[in-house]
Amino acid sequence: MAYLHLLIFGTVCVAVWLLVIYSWPRIFLSVFKRAILVKGGVEGPIPINTLYTQPQALFADPLHPPAGVSKLWTTGVNHDTLLTVGLLDLRKGPQILRVPDMAGRYYSVQFNDPSKNVNFAYVGKRTTGTGAGEYLVSGPRWKGTVPQGMTQIFSPNNSVLVIGRILVYLDNDLQTTYNLAKQIQVAPHHHSATQP
């Protein structure tokens, strides 16, 4: 009889462990979606298919954020890169990511499939260099032609979490970094293509 209790306890532990492993990406997605779409930044919620750059004042003093600002901007972030975040919805078609010339400065734009919590692509100094570029971010069912001069980033999901980081060299470099970060933008791709 004592072994039966251990067997039941062990079975429950394994079931809970599997449930947490299976649910974690969905929990992660809901936390980020709420932080981005509901709380947003200093100006309020961040619309879908829009990138939002962390305000300079919040970067300079993360311990005293304005009321109502998501903890995304102040919790667990490092203090040498300025954040740019957004959530893309590719169901209606691809988005074009435009990145300015970073002139050798470290930056990265990370693309995450939030349904699985998996990074599937990066744009940045270590992967694509620091020159200006345009990237077509397309969903799994998109059929179309990538415009000349653009690089396609294929997303395994129609929902994409975008997290950009740009190095801030010193406190007096914050304005320059902020100006560069604001130039990282997404816009819809309007060419004819099929997306069932």
Side-chain angles (χ1 to χ4, degrees):
M1 190 68 163
Y3 292 116
L4 181 60
H5 294 303
L6 287 175
L7 181 62
I8 291 171
F9 178 73
T11 303
V12 168
C13 287
V14 168
V16 167
W17 180 75
L18 289 172
L19 184 63
V20 168
I21 295 296
Y22 176 78
S23 301
W24 180 251
R26 283 140 192 91
I27 293 168
F28 178 77
L29 171 62
S30 68
V31 167
F32 267 94
K33 271 189 173 179
R34 184 175 191 298
I36 292 170
L37 302 175
V38 177
K39 286 219 157 198
V42 174
E43 292 88 20
I46 302 166
I48 289 184
N49 295 335
T50 304
L51 297 182
Y52 179 81
T53 299
Q54 178 182 13
Q56 295 178 64
L58 189 56
F59 179 84
D61 188 11
L63 299 178
H64 301 97
V69 172
S70 169
K71 299 276 190 241
L72 171 72
W73 304 107
T74 60
T75 304
V77 296
N78 54 15
H79 196 65
D80 61 353
T81 56
L82 190 65
L83 286 177
T84 298
V85 300
L87 194 64
L88 304 182
D89 181 356
L90 304 175
R91 287 178 295 183
K92 293 183 181 176
Q95 294 286 315
I96 297 171
L97 172 76
R98 291 185 174 91
V99 178
D101 185 350
M102 295 290 179
R105 179 187 299 261
Y106 173 82
Y107 83 101
S108 72
V109 179
Q110 165 187 342
F111 296 87
N112 180 280
D113 175 355
S115 69
K116 295 186 174 92
N117 193 15
V118 173
N119 299 327
F120 61 86
Y122 285 91
V123 169
K125 183 173 183 171
R126 294 179 182 161
T127 55
T128 58
T130 61
E134 292 187 324
Y135 304 87
L136 184 81
V137 184
S138 63
R141 294 188 183 127
W142 183 75
K143 305 280 188 245
T145 304
V146 178
Q148 188 172 359
M150 283 190 197
T151 302
Q152 183 176 17
I153 296 175
F154 172 78
S155 172
N157 193 330
N158 282 321
S159 183
V160 178
L161 176 63
V162 178
I163 304 171
R165 298 170 183 90
I166 302 178
L167 180 64
V168 179
Y169 292 118
L170 299 168
D171 288 343
N172 62 3
D173 182 50
L174 183 55
Q175 182 65 49
T176 302
T177 306
Y178 183 78
N179 292 340
L180 286 169
K182 292 296 283 183
Q183 293 177 58
I184 299 174
Q185 292 293 318
V186 292
H189 175 58
H190 293 296
H191 285 64
S192 62
T194 58
Q195 174 117 358

